[in-house]
Amino acid sequence: DLDIRSTLKGLNKKGDARPRSYMVGPYITDEEARYWDSKKISSIRLSFKDFIKELDSSITENERILSSIVREEFSHPIMAKFQANVSEPTEGLIEFLNRDVTFLHSNLAEKDTEPKVFYKGYFEGWDPILKNYDVSRKITDSILSDVFLVEEEERITKQELFLIKGNAGSGKTVLMHRIAWDAAITFEKLCLYYKSDVPLEYNRFSELYQLVKERIYLFIDGVVDKVDDIDYLLNKAKKDNVLITIICSERTNVWNLGGERLNTFLIQD
């Protein structure tokens, strides 16, 4: 199963930090149980029906009441993009929005960066972009026009991948931040900038899309380490008809060595 294989790959990437997981099945052998236990996956020898019955008999009435207590109300700037009368986001999506990505919006607040520090090559956070420390480039307008101002019916595919590549120190990261900011603020696109080392989880983007019902633009700086995740994400999004555009960057030599698998998805580089 493609979903299970992807989940297992994601767990393996966490190494010793991966949580204890469980699998349920009536015919798990002792050898299989030992194998999966070495990967921190414990076996439960029950049918799914018996497993549910066991859970039902093990959870007391008081525990059921506690589990239904209303959680703290979710508040996030991205809610301005939500459709009317949608369900509350899951805990997983809330964690994703707070931990793994930056949602670009006009009230974004960042730590102050001195101009002289930025021009010496230090770039962290969004403050230099908010204050326009970066130099205007013609390529910025070209990318904004080709990627963000295209009508949906004019797009070649509903799931897109664009690549910005260049040598180390050529300004790819600054350019990515500038494009993301202008697309979000000037053209009011839903832009997420990935900032985490955690593997990409397709379900987070799928759930978000159901809440917003508009194209999601995802920016990833240094993409070769996430080739497997992006491959799976784009294929699954195509299957589920999720509108998503990934704009990524990578050093030319690194892409040439490790990015070939994504060439079939590329709209433009």
Side-chain angles (χ1 to χ4, degrees):
D1 182 276
L2 191 61
D3 291 326
I4 294 176
R5 288 173 60 190
S6 176
T7 299
L8 291 174
K9 281 186 177 181
L11 288 172
N12 286 335
K13 289 179 181 178
K14 294 184 179 182
D16 293 337
R18 62 191 173 201
R20 169 66 62 176
S21 303
Y22 300 86
M23 66 177 183
V24 179
Y27 307 117
I28 301 172
T29 66
D30 290 340
E31 291 79 6
E32 289 171 334
R34 286 193 295 270
Y35 171 78
W36 288 112
D37 191 63
S38 69
K39 297 180 178 293
K40 296 183 72 172
I41 300 177
S42 298
S43 302
I44 300 174
R45 290 189 177 96
L46 292 172
S47 68
F48 183 71
K49 181 179 179 180
D50 291 337
F51 176 65
I52 295 299
K53 284 183 177 180
E54 188 70 24
L55 285 179
D56 185 58
S57 63
S58 301
I59 302 174
T60 67
E61 289 298 323
N62 284 338
E63 289 172 324
R64 294 170 198 259
I65 292 172
L66 287 172
S67 68
S68 65
I69 294 176
V70 178
R71 71 186 183 201
E72 183 179 347
E73 185 175 353
F74 173 64
S75 178
H76 192 282
I78 204 171
M79 291 180 67
K81 294 279 190 180
F82 285 9
Q83 297 286 299
N85 302 317
V86 295
S87 59
E88 284 285 309
T90 63
E91 294 288 350
L93 179 57
I94 292 172
E95 181 182 32
F96 167 77
L97 292 170
N98 289 329
R99 180 195 66 189
D100 298 334
V101 295
T102 298
F103 167 63
L104 281 304
H105 59 94
S106 57
N107 293 320
L108 186 67
E110 286 285 285
K111 181 181 177 181
D112 184 65
T113 301
E114 291 293 328
K116 61 182 180 182
V117 175
F118 172 75
Y119 293 124
K120 285 182 179 179
Y122 176 82
F123 180 65
E124 183 176 338
W126 291 87
D127 189 61
I129 301 299
L130 271 61
K131 293 178 178 176
N132 297 314
Y133 290 168
D134 56 315
V135 177
S136 178
R137 306 186 191 184
K138 290 183 179 179
I139 192 174
T140 303
D141 292 337
S142 177
I143 294 173
L144 288 170
S145 176
D146 292 345
V147 179
F148 300 93
L149 300 184
V150 181
E151 298 295 333
E152 286 299 333
E153 58 270 18
E154 297 175 353
R155 295 181 186 271
I156 299 173
T157 179
K158 294 180 180 179
Q159 296 74 38
E160 302 175 320
L161 178 67
F162 293 89
L163 170 67
I164 297 173
K165 63 182 178 181
N167 296 326
S170 59
K172 299 182 298 298
T173 298
V174 174
L175 177 62
M176 287 271 287
H177 280 71
R178 169 53 61 192
I179 292 169
W181 180 256
D182 286 354
I185 306 307
T186 304
F187 301 117
E188 300 182 339
K189 303 299 183 181
L190 196 167
C191 296
L192 303 175
Y193 206 101
Y194 206 73
K195 61 181 181 180
S196 175
D197 292 329
V198 174
L200 294 164
E201 295 185 59
Y202 169 75
N203 289 342
R204 305 300 169 231
F205 298 97
S206 175
E207 180 186 350
L208 179 59
Y209 179 74
Q210 297 307 318
L211 294 173
V212 299
K213 289 296 183 182
E214 69 171 271
R215 179 172 291 276
I216 297 170
Y217 294 89
L218 174 64
F219 291 78
I220 304 174
D221 191 14
V223 72
V224 164
D225 290 339
K226 293 182 172 60
V227 166
D228 289 342
D229 297 344
I230 293 173
D231 187 333
Y232 177 78
L233 193 157
L234 289 173
N235 278 311
K236 196 72 165 64
K238 182 177 182 179
K239 179 180 177 182
D240 296 343
N241 201 31
V242 171
L243 305 184
I244 187 167
T245 296
I246 299 176
I247 302 96
C248 58
S249 68
E250 189 56 88
R251 286 175 291 169
T252 302
N253 63 318
V254 174
W255 175 266
N256 291 340
L257 290 173
E260 289 185 355
R261 277 182 52 198
L262 296 179
N263 281 333
T264 57
F265 297 107
L266 276 179
I267 302 298
Q268 187 175 337
D269 64 352

